[in-house]
Amino acid sequence: MINIPKGTKDVLPWQSYKWQYIEGTARDVARLYGMREIRTPVFEHTELFSRGVGENTDVVGKEMYTFEDKGGRSMTLKPEGTAGAARLFIENGLSSTPMPVKTYYITPAFRYERPQSGRLREFHQFGIEMFGASAAEADAEIISAASLFLERLGIKDVRLEINSIGCKSCRAEYNRALKEYFKPRLGEMCPTCRVRYETNPLRMLDCKEEECKKISAGAPEITDYLCPECRGHFERLKSLLDGQGVKYTVNPRIVRGLDYYSRTVFEFVSDAIGAQGTVCGGGRYDGLVSQLGGAETPAIGFAAGIERLMLLMDNTQTPYPEEEKPLIYLAGMDGPTREAAFGIVSALRREGVSAECDLMERSIKAQLKYADKSGAAFSAVIGGDELLSGEVNLKNMSDGAVRTVKINELGAYLKKEKKSW
Ligand code: ATP
Ligand code: MG
C-alpha cells in the first residue's frame, strides 16, 4: 500500500461540495469586482520565485519544491500565485491593455513546511492580483473584495489587520532604526534573524521564534517613519475603508512574508484555528513587475488559504449549503422493468434532471433502501402496471406523500418541484 505524501490531503466524494462552494463563492465575488481568471503553470523557472518572492524569505530560502528537469533546468512547484501572475502580465503584454488589469486565480501551492494544523505541503489559494493602479482606492477595493468573500462564506470569527510598510525611502530610515534597536540583543536572536539583520531587518518582525518575537515586541513602529506620501496613502485607505463600513485595526507588526511589498499590507486573522491564524494575506507590491523585467507597474493583491478557511468554518460551525442530491431514484421490479427505468432515467438526465437507477442488480427492497441512503428527493417504482398505464406513483422521500405523475411528464414535474424549494 502506497500512502499519500506527508502534508497533502485527498478530497473525498462527500467533501468536494464544500470545495465547490468555497470556489464558487470566490468566483462570484471575483466577478462582482470585474476580476477575470488567469491560470499559470504549476511549475515555473526557479529564478521567477527567487527573484519574485525574494531570496531571503522563508518561502524561497527553506520551503521550495525545486527539481532539475530532464533538460537540466531548475524548476520549482509554485509556492504562491503572485510571481506567476506578474510573469503572465509581463510576458503577454497585458500592460498595453486597459488599466487596471484585474485578475484572480484558484491554484494549488507547494511549500516544504513541517505539516501541522493549518500548514500543509500542498495547499490551495484563492488570490486576486490587480495591476496598474496606484491609488488608495485600489487598495480599498482589494481589501473589500477579500472582506466580501469572507462575509459571503458566513465567516464571522475573523478580524482585519492593516499596516503600511512604506516605500523604499521611508523604509531605509526605518531599517536604520530597527538595526539600532536590535543590535544590542542580536546575540539572543535566531540565526535567520541575524542574517535578516544584514539583508532586510524589516523581516525580523515576521520571525515566528518565541525569543525573537519577545525581543521585537518593543521595536520601533514603521507607522512612525512613513514619508508624507506614504502616510497620505495610508490615511486615505483608512478613510475609504471607514466609508465602506469595513472594520479593521492597525497592526504595525504586520510585514508579510514576501520581499517586494510596499505601502499597504493586510491580514485577515482568526483566533479559532490555533497558531496558523492567518486565513488571508495581501498587500501592495509596486516593485515586483519591474523586478521581474517589466515596466514600473503598481500592483496589489491578496491570497486566501482555502484549507485554513475550511478549518475555520468547521471550528466555528459555519454552515455550508447542503450537498445536492439526486432528484429521483427510479427502481425496477425485475429485469425488463429495470431496463425501462434505465431508459427513463437517461431521458430525465437529458432534460437536466439528476436521476438514478439500479446498476447493481439489486432486489426491489434493496433498491429502495439505497434510494433512501442516496438522499434522493423522490422515488418511484416501475413495474408492469406502470409501463402499461404510463404513470408512476411518485413518492416524496421527505414526507412520504405520494402522487401519480405521467412518466413523460416526470421531468417537467420534478423541475417545477425543485424550483419551488
Ligand atoms: P504563514 O505566516 O501562516 O506561514 P505566509 O505569510 O507564509 O503564512 P502567504 O504566503 O501570505 O502565507 O500565503 C497566503 C495564505 O495562504 C496564508 O494566509 C494561508 O492562509 C495560506 N497558507 C500559506 N502557507 C500555507 C500552508 N503551508 N498550508 C496551508 N495554507 C497556507
Ligand atoms: Mg509561511
Side-chain angles (χ1 to χ4, degrees):
M1 168 67 203
I2 299 165
N3 296 113
I4 194 170
K6 214 169 148 182
T8 66
K9 275 196 174 145
D10 291 320
V11 177
L12 303 177
W14 51 88
Q15 298 169 332
S16 48
Y17 77 99
K18 294 187 172 185
W19 282 85
Q20 289 164 1
Y21 168 62
I22 293 180
E23 290 168 359
T25 306
R27 291 181 194 283
D28 282 346
V29 170
R31 181 182 49 79
L32 291 172
Y33 281 83
M35 312 282 175
R36 294 195 288 175
E37 186 178 6
I38 54 169
R39 300 187 187 197
T40 63
V42 160
F43 59 92
E44 299 263 8
H45 292 288
T46 300
E47 201 192 345
L48 175 70
F49 302 114
S50 46
R51 270 213 274 159
V53 180
E55 294 280 6
N56 56 20
T57 58
D58 283 354
V59 170
V60 171
K62 310 185 205 162
E63 301 170 358
M64 290 207 299
Y65 273 92
T66 298
F67 61 97
E68 196 172 281
D69 74 5
K70 291 197 191 323
R73 306 170 196 91
S74 178
M75 295 293 175
T76 294
L77 302 185
K78 59 163 107 168
E80 50 92 58
T82 308
R87 180 200 49 69
L88 174 149
F89 175 84
I90 301 166
E91 190 166 352
N92 296 282
L94 269 63
S95 61
S96 58
T97 65
M99 297 281 184
V101 172
K102 296 176 167 192
T103 71
Y104 82 92
Y105 53 80
I106 296 171
T107 184
F110 306 86
R111 297 184 193 178
Y112 196 82
E113 303 203 66
R114 194 168 67 77
Q116 52 198 290
S117 170
R119 216 179 264 303
L120 292 157
R121 290 182 173 171
E122 181 188 32
F123 60 101
H124 297 78
Q125 293 185 332
F126 161 49
I128 281 183
E129 315 288 355
M130 170 152 71
F131 299 92
S134 59
E137 278 77 357
D139 307 46
E141 179 162 300
I142 292 293
I143 292 175
S144 102
S147 166
L148 183 61
F149 171 56
L150 299 172
E151 187 185 315
R152 286 220 164 178
L153 290 175
I155 290 172
K156 292 191 185 72
D157 264 278
V158 75
R159 60 178 184 279
L160 165 61
E161 299 185 349
I162 63 171
N163 189 26
S164 173
I165 55 169
C167 59
K168 271 198 201 102
S169 79
C170 26
R171 211 148 57 223
E173 199 185 323
Y174 179 58
N175 274 337
R176 267 196 295 280
L178 278 182
K179 283 182 106 162
E180 206 168 293
Y181 171 83
F182 283 120
K183 196 170 183 187
R185 306 194 62 181
L186 203 54
E188 301 157 56
M189 300 186 77
C190 75
T192 320
C193 274
R194 285 190 294 240
V195 175
R196 289 170 178 151
Y197 178 85
E198 298 302 335
T199 53
N200 190 353
L202 186 71
R203 306 233 340 98
M204 297 170 82
L205 300 176
D206 203 25
C207 186
K208 306 222 160 54
E209 300 288 331
E210 275 315 312
E211 195 52 37
C212 300
K213 272 203 221 167
K214 250 186 252 159
I215 296 173
S216 68
E221 297 186 346
I222 178 79
T223 30
D224 294 329
Y225 290 79
L226 295 180
C227 68
E229 290 75 22
C230 287
R231 186 176 304 282
H233 185 95
F234 195 42
E235 290 308 316
R236 182 153 178 85
L237 168 63
K238 287 191 279 185
S239 96
L240 288 162
L241 292 177
D242 292 338
Q244 298 181 71
V246 173
K247 299 214 162 32
Y248 59 85
T249 52
V250 175
N251 177 357
R253 297 267 163 254
I254 304 181
V255 295
R256 307 279 314 132
L258 316 184
D259 265 3
Y260 296 101
Y261 278 102
S262 53
R263 292 193 167 169
T264 308
V265 286
F266 61 92
E267 289 184 348
F268 287 83
V269 190
S270 175
D271 295 324
I273 51 172
Q276 275 68 52
T278 307
V279 291
C280 173
R284 183 166 272 290
Y285 49 94
D286 291 350
L288 178 60
V289 172
S290 57
Q291 174 70 26
L292 292 176
E296 285 286 338
T297 310
I300 179 162
F302 73 73
I306 296 180
E307 286 86 350
R308 279 192 205 173
L309 285 172
M310 287 184 155
L311 196 61
L312 175 56
M313 290 180 68
D314 287 344
N315 288 2
T316 54
Q317 273 98 47
T318 306
Y320 289 83
E322 265 186 53
E323 184 183 10
E324 210 172 299
K325 301 287 168 53
L327 251 183
I328 183 170
Y329 184 92
L330 213 51
M333 292 297 283
D334 53 16
T337 48
R338 277 213 317 271
E339 194 174 325
F342 189 87
I344 298 167
V345 159
S346 308
L348 285 171
R349 290 172 179 155
R350 236 171 260 131
E351 283 186 66
V353 169
S354 58
E356 293 288 318
C357 63
D358 177 55
L359 305 174
M360 304 284 294
E361 302 184 305
R362 286 188 171 118
S363 71
I364 186 71
K365 199 172 149 215
Q367 286 181 58
L368 291 173
K369 203 167 148 192
Y370 176 82
D372 206 28
K373 276 198 196 139
S374 78
F378 293 90
S379 71
V381 177
I382 305 278
D385 292 349
E386 282 76 10
L387 286 185
L388 272 180
S389 65
E391 289 179 344
V392 290
N393 289 325
L394 187 66
K395 181 176 168 189
N396 183 326
M397 302 289 277
S398 59
D399 60 10
V402 176
R403 94 182 261 155
T404 309
V405 179
K406 289 205 174 68
I407 291 175
N408 59 15
E409 288 172 6
L410 261 179
Y413 179 83
L414 290 167
K415 281 202 262 190
K416 202 176 82 218
E417 277 294 308
K418 191 180 175 199
K419 242 194 201 145
S420 70
W421 291 347

